[in-house]
Amino acid sequence: MTDGSDDTTEDRELLSDRIRNALADEIATGKLKAGAALDEQHLADRFGASRTPVREALRQLAANGLVEVRARRGVVVSRMTPERIMDMFETVAEIEAMCVRLATYRITPLERSHLIELHDASEAIVKNGDFDAYDNFNRAFHEAIYHATHNSFLAEQAIAIRNRLMAFRRAQLQQEQRLDRSWAEHEAIMQAIAEGDGEMASRRMRAHMLNAATALRRFIEANKLA
Amino acid sequence: MTDGSDDTTEDRELLSDRIRNALADEIATGKLKAGAALDEQHLADRFGASRTPVREALRQLAANGLVEVRARRGVVVSRMTPERIMDMFETVAEIEAMCVRLATYRITPLERSHLIELHDASEAIVKNGDFDAYDNFNRAFHEAIYHATHNSFLAEQAIAIRNRLMAFRRAQLQQEQRLDRSWAEHEAIMQAIAEGDGEMASRRMRAHMLNAATALRRFIEANKLA
DNA sequence: GGCTGCTTTTGTGTATGCAAAAGCATCCCC
DNA sequence: GGGGATGCTTTTGCATACACAAAAGCAGCC
């Protein structure tokens, strides 16, 4: 949702939003490295725009924590140490665990059907080894859980924090067995939800997220990223 | 303490930041009501500035969720229904509970001393019935717990969400017995931390926050606010 | 009388210009 | 020779100007 990637109304998209998304993506993919200075005029030239929308984009990124503004001294990409990334992962893991606990107690039959449907459909994706499709499913699965908390503010926060972390998800599921194990962990979570055991669902979700984090950490250390 | 909020350099503060803070405060205190349109030129005149810094301030507020921008249709103050406020309170309560659980397992002796010191000092404040002082202590108390999680990202998120909710704190402790009860609840939380029982600390913290929320809800309903 | 199409008007989105601060390099003085 | 002052450059912060989209007002038409 609210992705903006496949917009048919491209001419309506604001230049500042385009720049913001582009910069966020470049920071996410590592094209713009941590600590790099972001010169307004330079960026304006690169995007064929003036400094005004660039500045607005940078301010929004700053509010999201992706860059830091030092008054009158320019903007730099926020430093992402391995420790900080692990902190972010732990935070997301805890929030996901919190969400699934609340969701277990509050999910409606209709929402439960939807979740089961999603989960069942994902089995075929795993068999095909389709990483991109699984990534999409995975997002839908977790967002369905956020939604089932029946706390829209919490759901928004969870999505926002998850999106910030998604900067580093590109490497997360690149290992085949991780995809299998991810599905198995989802299965275990689904079972706990079905049994109405929110605490167990919570523990399993936390473990699930930390497993993903560990896989990523190994990848980062192996490739000397960040 | 990578706080960075030592604002002794006021003259260097950017106009856009001043405007952002002023607007955030006005939204917080209800001066600017939910759904109100924010005209850029009008605001620029009010602050004796041009539209440029006003726009930047509005974009930052939008990134923080306090206002909503509708492309080419202006900016409005985000609607805060009672349900949404309760959702926010629940989210803060859950995050605080999460933090105190982690903090219980990770707090250092030095941090524990600091927390005990804070808590002990607050007893006098309660006896004096000094609401403002207690509010300050309360923030320090909770931030000390965030810090003790040894997860700086989580701490930042907790503070950010708490600040957003603080919009409505003005009414929170206006009832005298709530101040007493708040201290007693802190006492119970401290005990659980001392015993190293993170789960109990977590449950007590959640109850503590939800008690505050209930007190606020009663206030809102009684005064027909929001 | 209500709806539709045009016109006006208001306000956003972007560009450009200017002033001041930060970074720097050179130079002077001790 | 080193440290600090001084001017130059670069870049930010803010203001102003302009273009254009959307809402509002108005008139004519069905």
Side-chain angles (χ1 to χ4, degrees), chain A residues 11-14 16-17 52 55-56 59-60 63-64 71-72 84 86-88 90-92 94-95 98 101-102 106 149-154 156-157 161 164 199 206, chain B residues 11-14 16-17 52 55-56 59-60 63-64 71-72 84 86-88 90-92 94-95 98 101-102 106 149-154 156-157 161 164 199 206:
Chain A
D11 51 342
R12 295 195 167 205
E13 191 178 10
L14 264 42
S16 57
D17 287 349
T52 310
R55 276 179 68 83
E56 287 183 3
R59 297 306 162 131
Q60 291 178 67
N64 281 329
R72 297 172 199 282
R84 188 162 180 82
M86 291 313 294
D87 278 0
M88 289 175 71
E90 180 177 73
T91 304
V92 170
E94 292 291 341
I95 289 177
M98 172 203 305
R101 181 171 54 74
L102 292 177
R106 299 177 184 177
T149 63
H150 291 262
N151 181 328
S152 60
F153 180 79
L154 175 56
E156 286 166 24
Q157 294 304 308
I161 291 185
R164 281 184 63 180
E199 296 299 332
R206 186 182 298 131
Chain B
D11 51 342
R12 309 209 167 183
E13 190 179 12
L14 299 180
S16 57
D17 286 350
T52 309
R55 278 179 67 81
E56 289 180 2
R59 297 304 161 133
Q60 292 178 67
N64 281 331
R72 294 195 163 88
R84 187 162 181 82
M86 290 313 293
D87 279 359
M88 291 175 70
E90 181 177 72
T91 303
V92 170
E94 292 291 339
I95 289 177
M98 172 202 305
R101 181 170 54 73
L102 292 176
R106 300 177 183 176
T149 62
H150 292 263
N151 181 328
S152 60
F153 179 79
L154 175 57
E156 286 167 22
Q157 295 304 309
I161 291 184
R164 283 184 59 181
E199 296 299 332
R206 186 181 299 128

Side-chain angles (χ1 to χ4, degrees), chain A residues 42-76:
Chain A
H42 182 237
L43 290 174
D45 294 344
R46 267 195 49 207
F47 288 105
S50 75
R51 282 176 49 218
T52 310
V54 171
R55 276 179 68 83
E56 287 183 3
L58 290 176
R59 297 306 162 131
Q60 291 178 67
L61 292 174
N64 281 329
L66 273 79
V67 303
E68 289 169 22
V69 296
R70 304 160 304 170
R72 297 172 199 282
R73 297 167 84 221
V75 177
V76 295

